[in-house]
Amino acid sequence: MDLNKIFGARKTVAQVEEGNELAPKFDALGLIPAVTTDYDSGELLMHAYMNAEALFLSITTGEAHYFSRSRQAIWHKGATSGLTQKIRELKIDDDQDCIWLRVDVSGGASCHVGYRSCFYRTVPSGSGIATDGPLELEFTEHEKVFDPNEVYKGAPNPTKL
Amino acid sequence: MDLNKIFGARKTVAQVEEGNELAPKFDALGLIPAVTTDYDSGELLMHAYMNAEALFLSITTGEAHYFSRSRQAIWHKGATSGLTQKIRELKIDDDQDCIWLRVDVSGGASCHVGYRSCFYRTVPSGSGIATDGPLELEFTEHEKVFDPNEVYKGAPNPTKL
């Protein structure tokens, strides 16, 4: 099957921005960023990347698939952890270089560290912030939903320095 | 002023993921993706990039600053259009390579095409989607908040094919 059949050619700016044909832009590495929010709460759960195959699989199965840059492989979210993401709505932005997934999460967590959302820390901001040293983050989630050591059983941590 | 003083060094995965020191990761181009949602509605408004200076300015002024890849310049959102974004909360993800801004938008729009959100079109998804040709997008916003020709007065469109 030629999975690229579902993607139209990018011909003009007007077509891409104002048209009704899916014509996504993949970057030099063949990737498009994907933003995933919780359908009910609107909370930002994670930010990842898709290649053409991951986008095709997300669209046609209704379950979130990404491309793992650390493993260089298709990543069916939840295949290891059971924490799958059911796509309720899939949107694309004006210049069609970013995907928005609105999902229901099985098991209630999307972060490999064990938290509900990957965004479990706040950065202080606003006038009056001291800029003479590293800023201190504040945790907004205080309990993990799962224990990553149990769920991933020693698989390598995807975080890179 | 050394704006990099607010960023800590990335020493270990545990420090980056579980610590409380801001230690963002900028990519090979010096950029970090930023996801911007409406504080009240939770709607995803836009996806853009920051360099270290844009992140510093966002943190210290409380107004969203990005780095424009098309113009290769700091982009104080709303400087031209008046549609500034006041940051109510600024978060960072597990491996500190993505920023989440929760904002109030002056003027009610964040998309250069004139819509409230850049994500004004839905991609069909789920089992049974026909995959023999380009998919048809459905518009979820039907009226523009502003006329880009009036607001941007002939400035080049940032969308690239």
Side-chain angles (χ1 to χ4, degrees):
Chain A
M1 181 195 300
D2 179 5
L3 60 90
N4 287 303
K5 276 191 180 167
I6 65 170
F7 307 129
R10 295 169 65 88
K11 296 171 209 151
T12 68
V13 169
Q15 167 234 353
V16 167
E17 289 186 344
E18 309 270 7
N20 64 356
E21 189 175 88
L22 177 62
K25 182 174 189 172
F26 298 96
D27 68 13
L29 298 172
L31 303 178
I32 187 169
V35 172
T36 305
T37 62
D38 184 278
Y39 186 82
D40 288 323
S41 72
E43 184 176 40
L44 178 59
L45 298 174
M46 52 182 283
H47 176 279
Y49 293 86
M50 295 179 176
N51 62 359
E53 186 181 356
L55 180 53
F56 178 89
L57 290 169
S58 296
I59 288 172
T60 55
T61 68
E63 288 208 353
H65 290 70
Y66 305 98
F67 183 79
S68 166
R69 294 176 302 166
S70 54
R71 289 186 282 112
Q72 288 287 305
I74 290 285
W75 164 28
H76 178 193
K77 177 72 183 169
T80 302
S81 64
L83 306 166
T84 54
Q85 296 174 338
K86 185 173 168 46
I87 299 169
R88 296 282 295 273
E89 189 172 44
L90 197 160
K91 304 190 85 165
I92 196 159
D93 74 340
D94 43 21
D95 54 354
Q96 301 202 35
D97 69 354
C98 183
I99 299 292
W100 177 17
L101 301 181
R102 298 180 67 200
V103 304
D104 291 331
V105 181
S106 303
S110 287
C111 172
H112 76 280
V113 181
Y115 293 106
R116 185 177 68 242
S117 160
C118 294
F119 294 81
Y120 49 83
R121 289 170 298 184
T122 300
V123 183
S125 64
S127 57
I129 297 294
T131 58
D132 54 348
L135 296 185
E136 190 172 320
L137 306 176
E138 185 188 336
F139 278 71
T140 53
E141 289 191 46
H142 300 284
E143 239 173 277
K144 295 188 181 184
V145 177
F146 66 90
D147 178 349
N149 293 324
E150 277 178 26
V151 167
Y152 297 112
K153 295 185 177 63
N157 188 313
T159 291
K160 303 291 176 206
L161 294 177
Chain B
M1 183 196 299
D2 179 6
L3 60 88
N4 287 304
K5 276 191 180 166
I6 65 170
F7 308 129
R10 294 170 67 85
K11 294 172 211 150
T12 68
V13 169
Q15 167 233 354
V16 166
E17 289 186 344
E18 309 270 8
N20 64 354
E21 189 176 87
L22 177 62
K25 182 175 189 172
F26 298 95
D27 68 14
L29 299 171
L31 302 178
I32 188 168
V35 172
T36 305
T37 61
D38 184 278
Y39 186 81
D40 288 323
S41 72
E43 184 176 38
L44 177 58
L45 298 174
M46 53 183 283
H47 175 280
Y49 294 86
M50 295 178 176
N51 61 1
E53 185 182 357
L55 180 53
F56 178 89
L57 290 170
S58 295
I59 288 171
T60 55
T61 68
E63 288 208 354
H65 290 70
Y66 304 99
F67 183 78
S68 167
R69 294 176 302 166
S70 54
R71 289 186 282 111
Q72 288 287 304
I74 289 285
W75 165 27
H76 178 192
K77 177 72 180 166
T80 303
S81 64
L83 306 166
T84 53
Q85 296 174 338
K86 185 173 169 46
I87 300 169
R88 297 280 297 272
E89 189 173 44
L90 197 160
K91 304 190 86 165
I92 196 158
D93 73 341
D94 42 22
D95 54 354
Q96 301 202 33
D97 70 353
C98 184
I99 299 292
W100 177 16
L101 300 181
R102 299 180 67 199
V103 304
D104 292 330
V105 181
S106 303
S110 287
C111 173
H112 76 280
V113 181
Y115 293 106
R116 185 178 67 242
S117 159
C118 294
F119 295 81
Y120 49 82
R121 290 171 298 184
T122 299
V123 182
S125 64
S127 57
I129 296 295
T131 58
D132 55 348
L135 297 185
E136 189 172 320
L137 305 176
E138 185 189 333
F139 279 70
T140 51
E141 289 191 46
H142 300 285
E143 242 172 274
K144 295 188 180 184
V145 178
F146 67 89
D147 177 349
N149 293 322
E150 277 179 25
V151 167
Y152 296 113
K153 296 187 176 62
N157 187 312
T159 292
K160 304 290 177 206
L161 292 177

